[in-house]
Amino acid sequence: MQQYRKSNHSVYMVNYHLVWTPKRRKKVLIGDVEKRLRDIIWEVCQEKEWVVIALEIMPDHVHLFVNTPPKVAAHQVVKAIKGRSSRLLRQECPILLKLPSLWTHSYFVSTPGNVSNTTVRRYIENQKK
């Protein structure tokens, strides 16, 4: 069960379900690229003190369910992860240089308003099954 988090002046539980895709929805998030992307996402979230609730990387898209402080907007999470991962993955995996950019500008975001966190987590974890 997800717990409320506390800061000096607030108690919160802000969760975002984020989905984004590589440019042209290419199926490039496989093998070493997938593993390295997973590491990068965890590193960014740990540095920013965001809590990864669920993460699934499909060949052509990423699902991230993350808990952040209330001062962090969804676009800031996406920007931080897409920015760092694009730079590092394109440096480390020359095959990705064939794409004009790694990620599209778009992303999907929702908050688990009418469904429980457990439902969203199960949905993400069952993506590869």
Side-chain angles (χ1 to χ4, degrees), residues 20 35-36 42 60 63 67 82 96 117 129:
W20 65 91
K35 290 174 191 162
R36 183 66 176 120
W42 278 95
D60 64 347
H63 283 272
N67 175 276
K82 280 176 149 184
L96 298 177
N117 289 341
K129 294 179 183 174

mmCIF file of all heavy atoms in Angstrom, residues 20 35-36 42 60 63 67 82 96 117 129:
data_model
loop_
_atom_site.group_PDB
_atom_site.id
_atom_site.type_symbol
_atom_site.label_atom_id
_atom_site.label_comp_id
_atom_site.label_asym_id
_atom_site.label_seq_id
_atom_site.Cartn_x
_atom_site.Cartn_y
_atom_site.Cartn_z
ATOM 1 N N TRP A 20 5.558 7.276 -22.687
ATOM 2 C CA TRP A 20 6.139 7.983 -23.826
ATOM 3 C C TRP A 20 6.772 6.987 -24.777
ATOM 4 O O TRP A 20 6.987 5.831 -24.432
ATOM 5 C CB TRP A 20 7.123 9.069 -23.381
ATOM 6 C CG TRP A 20 8.353 8.584 -22.680
ATOM 7 C CD1 TRP A 20 9.547 8.263 -23.256
ATOM 8 C CD2 TRP A 20 8.533 8.366 -21.284
ATOM 9 N NE1 TRP A 20 10.446 7.875 -22.301
ATOM 10 C CE2 TRP A 20 9.841 7.933 -21.080
ATOM 11 C CE3 TRP A 20 7.696 8.510 -20.166
ATOM 12 C CZ2 TRP A 20 10.354 7.626 -19.817
ATOM 13 C CZ3 TRP A 20 8.200 8.205 -18.913
ATOM 14 C CH2 TRP A 20 9.518 7.771 -18.765
ATOM 15 N N LYS A 35 17.888 -2.290 -20.771
ATOM 16 C CA LYS A 35 18.542 -2.381 -19.458
ATOM 17 C C LYS A 35 19.142 -1.050 -19.039
ATOM 18 O O LYS A 35 18.996 -0.622 -17.893
ATOM 19 C CB LYS A 35 19.641 -3.455 -19.490
ATOM 20 C CG LYS A 35 19.114 -4.856 -19.588
ATOM 21 C CD LYS A 35 20.238 -5.857 -19.755
ATOM 22 C CE LYS A 35 19.668 -7.215 -20.121
ATOM 23 N NZ LYS A 35 20.658 -8.101 -20.696
ATOM 24 N N ARG A 36 19.815 -0.386 -19.968
ATOM 25 C CA ARG A 36 20.439 0.898 -19.645
ATOM 26 C C ARG A 36 19.384 1.965 -19.376
ATOM 27 O O ARG A 36 19.537 2.773 -18.455
ATOM 28 C CB ARG A 36 21.366 1.327 -20.789
ATOM 29 C CG ARG A 36 22.110 2.603 -20.519
ATOM 30 C CD ARG A 36 23.103 2.445 -19.364
ATOM 31 N NE ARG A 36 23.845 3.674 -19.221
ATOM 32 C CZ ARG A 36 23.859 4.425 -18.111
ATOM 33 N NH1 ARG A 36 23.210 4.030 -17.035
ATOM 34 N NH2 ARG A 36 24.539 5.538 -18.077
ATOM 35 N N TRP A 42 15.881 4.848 -13.024
ATOM 36 C CA TRP A 42 16.042 4.676 -11.577
ATOM 37 C C TRP A 42 17.016 5.706 -11.006
ATOM 38 O O TRP A 42 16.784 6.250 -9.927
ATOM 39 C CB TRP A 42 16.504 3.258 -11.248
ATOM 40 C CG TRP A 42 15.363 2.287 -11.226
ATOM 41 C CD1 TRP A 42 14.947 1.482 -12.251
ATOM 42 C CD2 TRP A 42 14.460 2.044 -10.149
ATOM 43 N NE1 TRP A 42 13.855 0.748 -11.866
ATOM 44 C CE2 TRP A 42 13.537 1.063 -10.573
ATOM 45 C CE3 TRP A 42 14.352 2.547 -8.856
ATOM 46 C CZ2 TRP A 42 12.520 0.585 -9.749
ATOM 47 C CZ3 TRP A 42 13.338 2.063 -8.040
ATOM 48 C CH2 TRP A 42 12.431 1.095 -8.490
ATOM 49 N N ASP A 60 8.506 -0.471 -27.815
ATOM 50 C CA ASP A 60 8.181 0.794 -28.466
ATOM 51 C C ASP A 60 7.542 1.838 -27.545
ATOM 52 O O ASP A 60 7.016 2.839 -28.019
ATOM 53 C CB ASP A 60 7.285 0.562 -29.677
ATOM 54 C CG ASP A 60 5.933 -0.013 -29.301
ATOM 55 O OD1 ASP A 60 5.760 -0.465 -28.140
ATOM 56 O OD2 ASP A 60 5.039 -0.006 -30.153
ATOM 57 N N HIS A 63 6.273 2.731 -19.725
ATOM 58 C CA HIS A 63 5.275 3.036 -18.701
ATOM 59 C C HIS A 63 6.018 3.311 -17.402
ATOM 60 O O HIS A 63 6.832 2.487 -16.971
ATOM 61 C CB HIS A 63 4.353 1.834 -18.433
ATOM 62 C CG HIS A 63 3.307 1.617 -19.451
ATOM 63 N ND1 HIS A 63 2.073 2.221 -19.381
ATOM 64 C CD2 HIS A 63 3.287 0.853 -20.564
ATOM 65 C CE1 HIS A 63 1.341 1.827 -20.407
ATOM 66 N NE2 HIS A 63 2.061 0.996 -21.140
ATOM 67 N N ASN A 67 5.859 8.465 -7.862
ATOM 68 C CA ASN A 67 5.373 9.352 -6.810
ATOM 69 C C ASN A 67 6.353 10.501 -6.669
ATOM 70 O O ASN A 67 7.559 10.274 -6.573
ATOM 71 C CB ASN A 67 5.266 8.571 -5.492
ATOM 72 C CG ASN A 67 4.892 9.450 -4.327
ATOM 73 O OD1 ASN A 67 5.759 10.072 -3.725
ATOM 74 N ND2 ASN A 67 3.619 9.495 -4.008
ATOM 75 N N LYS A 82 13.579 11.918 -20.081
ATOM 76 C CA LYS A 82 13.811 11.873 -21.526
ATOM 77 C C LYS A 82 15.128 12.570 -21.888
ATOM 78 O O LYS A 82 15.875 12.086 -22.733
ATOM 79 C CB LYS A 82 12.676 12.549 -22.280
ATOM 80 C CG LYS A 82 11.433 11.722 -22.457
ATOM 81 C CD LYS A 82 10.395 12.605 -23.145
ATOM 82 C CE LYS A 82 9.449 11.895 -24.014
ATOM 83 N NZ LYS A 82 8.537 12.817 -24.715
ATOM 84 N N LEU A 96 21.164 4.083 -32.199
ATOM 85 C CA LEU A 96 20.086 5.055 -31.951
ATOM 86 C C LEU A 96 20.316 6.376 -32.682
ATOM 87 O O LEU A 96 19.400 7.183 -32.793
ATOM 88 C CB LEU A 96 19.936 5.304 -30.447
ATOM 89 C CG LEU A 96 19.540 4.081 -29.620
ATOM 90 C CD1 LEU A 96 19.506 4.433 -28.143
ATOM 91 C CD2 LEU A 96 18.210 3.512 -30.076
ATOM 92 N N ASN A 117 -4.208 2.779 -6.830
ATOM 93 C CA ASN A 117 -2.809 2.632 -7.212
ATOM 94 C C ASN A 117 -2.499 1.183 -7.576
ATOM 95 O O ASN A 117 -1.727 0.915 -8.484
ATOM 96 C CB ASN A 117 -1.884 3.078 -6.075
ATOM 97 C CG ASN A 117 -1.907 4.566 -5.869
ATOM 98 O OD1 ASN A 117 -2.309 5.312 -6.751
ATOM 99 N ND2 ASN A 117 -1.470 5.007 -4.718
ATOM 100 N N LYS A 129 3.194 -9.507 -20.145
ATOM 101 C CA LYS A 129 2.669 -10.870 -20.012
ATOM 102 C C LYS A 129 1.718 -11.212 -21.109
ATOM 103 O O LYS A 129 1.167 -10.456 -21.790
ATOM 104 C CB LYS A 129 1.998 -11.039 -18.644
ATOM 105 C CG LYS A 129 3.001 -10.937 -17.521
ATOM 106 C CD LYS A 129 2.347 -11.080 -16.190
ATOM 107 C CE LYS A 129 3.389 -10.886 -15.094
ATOM 108 N NZ LYS A 129 2.833 -10.875 -13.797
#
